């Protein structure tokens, strides 16, 4: 069987190569590129991200990333966002007093978590709905998080979105979203051992 072709969007983010390796190990043919045509044509597009929201948006805009993401979703082609690549899919990010516009394919605001212990760094469980495709077979598993910001309300998300939650030090935030052909995770599946590898295989299985 032919491996699905996945493009990891190369816009200068720091975890590009670890994401590329993990996706290859999970069964995809992976190309790391900033080429918009390749990103549009691929079976799946992965948008990774580490660092600050505004800086990641600037990098994305420099390679035409927001337009590619919107066009893929409009034509029902799969997109997976990871960490800040998950965050920038939302409408806005408020960081260090700066309100930066995101790609806006999901409504909501990325804001600083309220926990006294930040960053939220390390392994944590998630609360995934039974109908989640990403977390199929992964009940009770732990995933690796590194972040101080997140989306703390799902009130604005579409009613048919599948929302997975996590909690850090009493603060509840969105750990993953699945809506149509859009999937995103606040944690790093590529750093989450066997559970992360299984989640990537679940996503790749949707690309056929």
């Amino acid at each position: 069987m032919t491996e699905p072709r996945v493009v990891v969007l190369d816009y200068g983010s720091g975890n590009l190569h670890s994401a590329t390796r993990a996706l290859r190990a999970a069964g995809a043919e992976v190309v790391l590129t900033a080429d918009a045509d390749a990103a549009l044509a691929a079976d799946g597009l992965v948008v990774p991200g580490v660092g600050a929201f505004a800086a990641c948006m600037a990098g994305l805009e420099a390679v035409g990333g927001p337009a590619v993401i919107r066009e893929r979703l409009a034509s029902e082609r799969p997109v997976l966002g990871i960490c800040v690549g998950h965050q920038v899919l939302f409408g806005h990010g408020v960081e260090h007093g700066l309100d930066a516009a995101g790609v806006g394919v999901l409504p909501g605001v990325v804001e600083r978590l309220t926990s006294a212990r930040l960053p939220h760094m390390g392994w944590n469980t998630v609360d995934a709905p039974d109908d989640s495709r990403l977390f199929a077979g992964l009940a009770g598993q732990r995933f690796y998080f590194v972040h101080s910001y997140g989306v703390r309300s799902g009130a604005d998300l579409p009613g048919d979105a599948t929302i997975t939650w996590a909690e850090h030090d009493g603060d509840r935030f969105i750990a993953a979203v699945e809506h149509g052909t859009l999937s995103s995770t606040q944690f790093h599946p590529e750093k989450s051992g066997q559970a992360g590898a299984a989640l990537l295989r679940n996503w790749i299985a949707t690309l056929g």
Side-chain angles (χ1 to χ4, degrees), residues 68-152:
V68 168
I69 292 167
R70 294 184 192 111
E71 185 170 339
R72 283 189 63 90
L73 294 175
S75 58
E76 299 184 345
R77 298 182 64 75
V79 174
L80 172 65
I82 295 174
C83 195
V84 184
H86 151 84
Q87 294 179 359
V88 296
L89 298 173
F90 288 85
H92 293 271
V94 180
E95 192 166 345
H96 306 302
L98 175 66
D99 186 339
V103 178
V105 292
L106 292 172
V109 178
V110 179
E111 59 187 342
R112 186 172 175 86
L113 301 181
T114 61
S115 170
R117 296 185 300 115
L118 293 176
H120 171 215
M121 182 166 62
W123 297 84
N124 203 348
T125 55
V126 302
D127 181 13
D130 292 339
D131 62 350
S132 169
R133 294 171 299 173
L134 281 182
F135 294 93
L138 293 173
Q141 295 297 310
R142 295 161 68 86
F143 299 89
Y144 191 78
F145 292 82
V146 184
H147 65 117
S148 297
Y149 294 79
V151 180
R152 300 174 56 245

Side-chain angles (χ1 to χ4, degrees), residues 131-136 162 178-183 202-203 206:
D131 62 350
S132 169
R133 294 171 299 173
L134 281 182
F135 294 93
T162 300
E178 299 161 69
H179 185 242
T181 56
L182 176 62
S183 304
N202 283 346
W203 180 70
T206 71

